[in-house]
Amino acid sequence: MPELPEVEVTRRGIEPHVLGRTITSVTVREPRLRWRVPAAVRALAGREVRAVKRRGKYLLLDCGDGHLILHLGMSGSLRLVASGTQPDKHDHFDLVVGEKVLRLRDPRRFGAVLWTVLPPEEHPLIRHLGVEPLSRALDGRSLHALTRASRVRIKPFLMDSHRIVGVGNIYASESLFLAGVDPRKTAGSLSAERSALLSAAIKRTLRTAIRAGGSSLRDFVGSDGVYGCFQHRAWVYDRAGQACRKCGGAIRRIVQGQRATYYCPACQR
């Protein structure tokens, strides 16, 4: 599933091509996505895209009198293609801006194309989201405060979007490794010092992933059609049984909350 780095890579990729441009036309080939595409989306032609923002894993196109909300779902991608490019089977939505087409490809149809006239932070899908990890709102002090009294294991805690947004499975494992924190620890057991190390590791991991174009495990590609390569640089993710790049010990795999967790028992305590 595309997480914060993949969505941010997409945002940065499409922004230069749509910001300040007028929407020429909209095509909805398949309205039955995770939520049905509302009729208002088809009437966006003539509006100017005033800003391209991200909140968690949602892309927000500010059109002045409302926001187009886009979500990549589990297998989606937003690509920029030339006007006139023939759609493929899973290309469900086109936003045309001059000679460019912003095209949503979503094989599983878990993505979303929605419209809201409310401020985005008041939308039901967004208003309960947690802290943006790349913002100043997340630091050692705030992470320590968030974890107090929690008996949830720290790995699934980091993946809870009601607490912190966008730290997916890969990035939680990688961040915990960089901070030297055992993923089996309860969140509430983290000291203030460990919380500071972990918040810094989260930021470092996410920024590194963004520079690498995100992670492409199955379907994700950036807006230019290029695959992300962060997965090839992982310290622990998907490396069970292989030697730790720091200590040489064997990386282990366990399951937490039905998701695979990778860690080094020697480096993470």
Side-chain angles (χ1 to χ4, degrees):
M1 178 183 292
E3 299 291 347
L4 186 153
E6 290 76 43
V7 179
E8 180 61 20
V9 165
T10 300
R11 189 197 69 78
R12 295 182 185 187
I14 69 174
E15 184 178 45
H17 301 276
V18 302
L19 182 61
R21 305 290 179 86
T22 298
I23 299 170
T24 309
S25 64
V26 174
T27 300
V28 179
R29 296 184 192 85
E30 175 53 86
R32 297 170 299 171
L33 302 181
R34 186 171 184 181
W35 298 278
R36 191 172 186 89
V37 179
V41 168
R42 301 178 188 266
L44 293 180
R47 288 174 169 84
E48 177 187 341
V49 179
R50 300 184 179 183
V52 182
K53 300 175 284 187
R54 178 191 56 76
R55 178 69 173 104
K57 295 188 288 184
Y58 293 93
L59 285 168
L60 307 171
L61 273 60
D62 183 352
C63 296
D65 60 344
H67 285 75
L68 182 66
I69 301 175
L70 302 171
H71 193 283
L72 302 181
M74 296 183 68
S75 58
S77 61
L78 275 169
R79 310 184 191 197
L80 286 161
V81 299
S83 180
T85 302
Q86 290 299 306
D88 290 331
K89 177 181 178 182
H90 301 297
D91 293 342
H92 303 313
F93 169 77
D94 283 357
L95 188 77
V96 183
V97 282
E99 298 301 313
K100 292 286 187 179
V101 178
L102 185 61
R103 176 165 287 171
L104 175 66
R105 176 172 296 176
D106 187 6
R108 297 192 187 182
R109 293 193 300 173
F110 278 106
V113 178
L114 301 169
W115 174 256
T116 181
V117 295
L118 295 172
E121 61 272 16
E122 296 179 13
H123 191 276
L125 294 174
I126 295 174
R127 65 188 176 205
H128 299 300
L129 293 179
V131 176
E132 284 285 341
L134 292 179
S135 73
R136 293 181 179 179
L138 182 70
D139 58 15
R141 182 177 297 179
S142 62
L143 181 59
H144 191 247
L146 279 173
T147 56
R148 293 310 83 202
S150 175
R151 300 180 66 181
V152 177
R153 304 297 176 184
I154 186 59
K155 164 83 172 338
F157 181 94
L158 294 181
M159 295 175 61
D160 182 351
S161 65
H162 292 96
R163 294 180 168 114
I164 305 171
V165 294
V167 185
N169 197 38
I170 296 176
Y171 307 114
S173 285
E174 292 293 292
S175 298
L176 288 166
F177 175 80
L178 289 181
V181 175
D182 189 323
R184 299 169 296 178
K185 282 185 174 292
T186 59
S189 70
L190 254 66
S191 65
E193 181 181 5
R194 281 294 187 91
S195 297
L197 289 172
L198 183 53
S199 65
I202 292 168
K203 292 176 186 290
R204 176 182 169 187
T205 298
L206 295 177
R207 287 171 178 151
T208 301
I210 291 168
R211 288 194 297 270
S215 298
S216 294
L217 301 182
R218 295 186 62 181
D219 301 290
F220 175 76
V221 295
S223 60
D224 55 1
V226 176
Y227 289 94
C229 62
F230 178 81
Q231 69 276 10
H232 301 306
R233 308 177 185 182
W235 289 95
V236 291
Y237 183 79
D238 202 26
R239 298 190 67 243
Q242 298 183 45
C244 173
R245 300 187 198 276
K246 279 191 176 180
C247 74
I251 301 298
R252 290 185 185 173
R253 178 187 185 276
I254 58 174
V255 176
Q256 295 180 302
Q258 300 181 322
R259 304 298 299 275
T261 294
Y262 300 88
Y263 72 105
C264 173
C267 294
Q268 296 172 252
R269 298 183 180 277

